[in-house]
Amino acid sequence: MKSTRPFNISKALIILTVALFILLPGNASAQTDYQPSPENLQARREFQDMKFGMFIHWGAYSVLGDGEWVFHNRKLTVEEYNRLPLFFDPEKFDAHTWASLAKAAGMKYITITSRHHDGFAMFDSKVSDWNIVARTPYKKDPLKMLADECHRQGIKLFFYYSQLDWHNPDYYPRGATNWPNGRPDHGDWNAYLDTYMDGQLTELLTNYGPIGGIWFDGMWDKPDADWHLAKTYALIHQLQPAALIIPNHHQTPRPGEDVQTFERDLPGQNTAGFNTKYVSARLPLESCDTLNDNWGFNIGDSNYKSPAELVRRLVRTAGANSNLLLNIGPYPNGEIDPEFVTRLHAVGDWLSKYGDSIYGTRGGPLAPANWGVTTQKENKIYIHVLDWNAPLLALPPIEGKIMSAQLLIDGSKIDVTQTIDGVVLKPPAPKAEEVDRVVVLTVAK
Ligand code: FHN
């Protein structure tokens, strides 16, 4: 029906002003006119196909073996924390070993902290000498070595970048995690974003070859600040159009962002309490979690998840149409805890047999349930039976005629009945050591 209300000129002016403001660079509302390039759209699809990545939290903080928040948790001053890099000397770091471990685990990408909230750059930065090359006895750039090795081994490398900074005086006004650590009560916020942060991002996007993207974290420290997102996002997309912007701000995705990520949660569940329940139907999804309880190396944390838990987590994540980014915190000397290594190998062994039901798939036609989840690829539907002991499994209706049902592990035929009311499967009894009975349905298209 046509509106009979008179045209309200002042309302129109407000709308126009807001629209102009949003479109101006340097605004918090992100890259509103962003049209992902064809390379970016292709990179998003490839990202979804990869399904499993290695998250690495590693920095000067690893030396204290007390997690990546140690600067904040111990309420150290900047002067005190400045001593830490003096004895950070990761002489056992070997990029080949790290990338090979990711590969053996069946992981297709690595996301590593290029700098965490302590602001300490783990790369050769000319923007500030608060970095591993200038301040440590090691004097080398591990990210360069890792980038080169990842390129050699065909692993995509993403850089985690903390927008929150506990060290730089220009991170001012301070945010929710602020404590008096000796920084002056003034600072140049615009310089922090436009010169420091964008300067370092430019380095990361020009000195390390093609990278997978930037994984942002820390905006939640100052949720109402103007983060100049439009400017920063445009810079990244201009430097490397295929690079994906993955923001861990725990909010609804904004224009210019390429992946929606969730922390310690399956998309939409918000069991962690700080994630949004909104799940994008448009963007690839990712969920990150720790292999034990910590992100950065914590010497007192032996609460490792078992291989079966890890596999189930991966399967449930894929069933939720999402990638899993699984974290390890290497030792300060560059070695990786053998407990991580054995568990990652076990997941890799499982993937070498069941990978068809994970890689390249999307969430399947049935909603995740207690019994399990589904994934799908072309004309195959993978039924992941995770927790079901009865002889018959009754499922809701599945579209398309089911031509066959087979166990993925050995191709043996499974009895299947399909009616308009649903599908009934007769899977074999679970084996003691089996974490996931995968039944492959081939569906006529
Ligand atoms: O504070 C960080 C934390 O140290 C870690 O990096 C995780 C990884 O998702 N993100 C932040 C909390 O949201």
Side-chain angles (χ1 to χ4, degrees), residues 313-334:
R313 175 65 204 260
L314 174 62
V315 170
R316 287 217 172 262
T317 310
N321 195 31
S322 174
N323 286 15
L324 175 63
L325 182 61
L326 181 64
N327 182 77
I328 58 166
Y331 294 154
N333 69 356

Side-chain angles (χ1 to χ4, degrees), residues 201-213:
L201 290 168
T202 303
E203 291 175 330
L204 289 169
L205 286 143
T206 41
N207 299 340
Y208 298 86
I211 63 158

Side-chain angles (χ1 to χ4, degrees), residues 390-393 407 413-417 424-429 437 439:
L392 296 178
L393 175 61
L407 274 189
K413 291 253 183 282
I414 300 290
D415 283 350
V416 58
T417 316
V424 177
L425 292 175
K426 194 176 175 200
R437 266 171 297 164
V439 178

Side-chain angles (χ1 to χ4, degrees), residues 172-345:
Y172 192 87
R174 316 253 191 264
T177 59
N178 171 46
W179 76 101
N181 67 6
R183 284 186 286 182
D185 287 334
H186 54 83
D188 186 344
W189 177 241
N190 290 334
Y192 171 71
L193 295 174
D194 301 340
T195 312
Y196 196 91
M197 196 173 84
D198 285 355
Q200 289 197 326
L201 290 168
T202 303
E203 291 175 330
L204 289 169
L205 286 143
T206 41
N207 299 340
Y208 298 86
I211 63 158
I214 302 290
W215 206 98
F216 282 117
D217 201 357
M219 245 175 69
W220 39 262
D221 188 53
K222 290 172 63 163
D224 301 325
D226 179 350
W227 287 93
H228 299 192
L229 291 182
K231 200 157 176 276
T232 300
Y233 288 179
L235 172 76
I236 294 170
H237 286 135
Q238 179 224 320
L239 289 170
Q240 290 201 26
L244 302 177
I245 293 177
I246 311 181
N248 185 35
H249 50 41
H250 312 151
Q251 296 167 0
T252 304
R254 300 162 191 224
E257 298 172 352
D258 302 306
V259 174
Q260 186 180 10
T261 198
F262 298 82
E263 183 174 325
R264 293 192 192 280
D265 244 324
L266 292 181
Q269 290 198 347
N270 192 23
T271 49
F274 48 74
N275 290 304
T276 175
K277 282 204 161 176
Y278 175 88
V279 180
S280 174
R282 200 172 42 86
L283 300 182
L285 308 174
E286 185 192 59
S287 156
C288 63
D289 209 342
T290 46
L291 201 151
N292 52 359
D293 285 341
N294 279 259
W295 301 102
F297 169 55
N298 188 319
I299 200 161
D301 182 0
S302 303
N303 198 21
Y304 306 101
K305 294 173 182 73
S306 69
E309 273 177 278
L310 296 169
V311 167
R312 289 205 177 98
R313 175 65 204 260
L314 174 62
V315 170
R316 287 217 172 262
T317 310
N321 195 31
S322 174
N323 286 15
L324 175 63
L325 182 61
L326 181 64
N327 182 77
I328 58 166
Y331 294 154
N333 69 356
E335 283 181 324
I336 296 176
D337 185 344
E339 300 282 352
F340 289 150
V341 174
T342 47
R343 283 161 176 80
L344 290 176
H345 277 279

Side-chain angles (χ1 to χ4, degrees), residues 16 27 48 57 61 83 116 132 152-153 156 171 184 207-208 212 229 238 312 321-322 362 364 366 373 379 444:
L16 189 68
N27 180 274
Q48 285 182 296
H57 277 66
Y61 47 78
R83 297 175 186 145
H116 203 263
I132 188 165
R152 266 195 290 276
Q153 294 205 29
K156 277 246 155 70
Y171 186 84
N207 299 340
Y208 298 86
L229 291 182
Q238 179 224 320
R312 289 205 177 98
N321 195 31
S322 174
R362 301 292 181 266
L366 303 182
V373 297
N379 67 336

